[in-house]
Amino acid sequence: MRLQPLPSLRSPTLQLFQDRAFNPALPHVLPAYATDPSHPERRIPALSKWFLHSHGGNGAGANRPTSSLNIEYLLRHLETAETDPLVPLEVTRFAHATARHPTSFETTQAPLSEFLRYLSTSTSSKTTPTPTNEITHLYLSQSPLPHTLPPSLLPSLPTPTLALRAGRGDIYLSSLWLGTPPTYTPLHKDPNDNLFVQLVGCKLLRIMDPGVGGAVLREGRRRAGMSGRGVGGVGLRGEEMMVGRERVEVDALVWGADGEQEDTGENEADIHVFEAEVQPGDACYIPRGWWHSIRGLEEEGSSGLEEETGQVVGSVNWWFR
């Protein structure tokens, strides 16, 4: 595979976005889309109200923002709400702090207030090893906004104009993603166009066109002894995509060891993978049918799953046509 930067559109007008990205169905990163001071109408209030931001010191990660949850602000809204919403959580367990692949994966639900308190607590309460040195990691994944947030917080995440006006104006779903890094979304494709906005922390995206992504998944499943499953009915975040042999093999092809992709068995000249790192306020457009995998990045200086106190990574997205 050959990595190449995802094409960029800075402060695009609606017409430019349609011409360069939406109409030709080509993915693009939109730097500072929600924080551009010349376009206050694009701002997403959650960026400044939900989180506390600062920047790192010296070294390779100096420009990456460090961040924590504004827990007092969020809990004030929950305390005045009629209900404390139950939110879907992924529970992923790792054998030890530096393990790359998990030993188990399951889903559960918890009140939003409890999950927010979990995110705001110190490292020790999130990653204290069990007697077997196992570490448990929680992630709020693909949680629909209307069912996740009390009504007073919904205006903090307004639907972007690009999603409302680039196509028919149909918004199929909007979702919140929130947790402590590293977070992981396996290789998959969506049935609708996706506008993704980073809220806090940093994420790294790898994106492949429909033919390339399908070939990568088929090869990963072949190596895992699951070649009969095909790729037509790929579901997001099924257990087989989050833990076990399929995850290991597909992850190695997409991300490789230490960032170097393995041979997919295809003609290397035909394998192009787009990559983009997004920071708070950046947006990314992913057309329907394009394959992508996403990692929430740890802040510089952390190791394995042992995060700095209160470190958070999160994003919001809208599926539309």
Side-chain angles (χ1 to χ4, degrees):
M1 292 186 189
R2 292 196 301 170
L3 285 178
Q4 58 189 90
L6 188 63
S8 176
L9 281 175
R10 183 172 289 275
S11 297
T13 62
L14 175 61
Q15 187 65 57
L16 182 61
F17 174 75
Q18 290 171 319
D19 291 344
R20 297 276 188 88
F22 184 76
N23 291 336
L26 294 175
H28 279 74
V29 64
L30 314 176
Y33 176 80
T35 53
D36 187 342
S38 64
H39 290 279
E41 75 281 1
R42 299 176 180 174
R43 291 187 179 176
I44 293 180
L47 281 160
S48 58
K49 294 182 177 181
W50 290 20
F51 310 103
L52 306 173
H53 304 287
S54 61
H55 285 269
N58 300 320
N63 292 324
R64 284 185 187 167
T66 58
S67 50
S68 59
L69 202 65
N70 191 343
I71 185 67
E72 292 82 5
Y73 173 83
L74 294 170
L75 288 182
R76 280 202 306 270
H77 283 266
L78 282 169
E79 288 166 358
T80 59
E82 292 184 2
T83 61
D84 188 356
L86 282 177
V87 295
L89 299 177
E90 296 179 349
V91 183
T92 309
R93 296 182 178 87
F94 295 81
H96 51 82
T98 58
R100 176 167 174 174
H101 299 293
T103 56
S104 69
F105 171 83
E106 62 185 283
T107 58
T108 188
Q109 289 184 319
L112 178 60
S113 62
E114 290 186 14
F115 178 65
L116 294 177
R117 289 188 177 96
Y118 158 85
L119 289 182
S120 68
T121 56
S122 67
T123 296
S124 60
S125 64
K126 292 198 287 287
T127 62
T128 299
T130 66
T132 59
N133 292 321
E134 187 178 77
I135 290 176
T136 301
H137 198 61
L138 299 184
Y139 188 41
L140 185 150
S141 162
Q142 197 176 332
S143 186
L145 293 185
H147 305 297
T148 302
L149 301 175
S152 63
L153 283 176
L154 286 174
S156 297
L157 296 172
T159 304
T161 301
L162 294 184
L164 289 170
R165 298 182 57 195
R168 302 195 300 246
D170 296 334
I171 306 297
Y172 290 88
L173 187 66
S174 54
S175 292
L176 182 65
W177 312 72
L178 193 63
T180 53
T183 61
Y184 176 78
T185 297
L187 184 68
H188 71 285
K189 60 181 179 178
D190 298 326
N192 297 297
D193 294 85
N194 183 352
L195 187 64
F196 166 106
V197 177
Q198 188 68 8
L199 296 176
V200 62
C202 297
K203 285 187 175 180
L204 189 66
L205 296 88
R206 289 193 174 170
I207 302 175
M208 307 174 192
D209 73 39
V212 169
V216 169
L217 184 59
R218 279 191 295 271
E219 175 63 14
R221 287 180 168 174
R222 185 193 68 79
R223 296 184 183 190
M226 302 174 180
S227 55
R229 294 187 58 219
V231 299
V234 175
L236 177 59
R237 308 180 86 82
E239 182 175 354
E240 75 283 352
M241 302 175 77
M242 299 299 295
V243 66
R245 197 65 196 167
E246 179 177 327
R247 165 165 173 164
V248 171
E249 297 296 346
V250 175
D251 184 76
L253 291 170
V254 176
W255 296 98
D258 300 322
E260 296 295 328
Q261 290 77 35
E262 293 190 4
D263 184 0
T264 64
E266 301 288 322
N267 184 342
E268 289 298 300
D270 297 331
I271 303 296
H272 296 272
V273 179
F274 292 111
E275 182 177 80
E277 181 177 318
V278 291
Q279 297 189 5
D282 294 342
C284 186
Y285 167 66
I286 306 172
R288 59 184 177 270
W290 281 69
W291 297 81
H292 48 287
S293 182
I294 305 174
R295 284 184 166 182
L297 302 179
E298 298 169 286
E299 294 169 8
E300 189 72 11
S302 62
S303 60
L305 298 173
E306 298 177 301
E307 301 91 356
E308 299 297 322
T309 300
Q311 189 180 152
V312 180
V313 63
S315 52
V316 61
N317 79 295
W318 293 264
W319 284 289
F320 70 101
R321 286 199 182 186

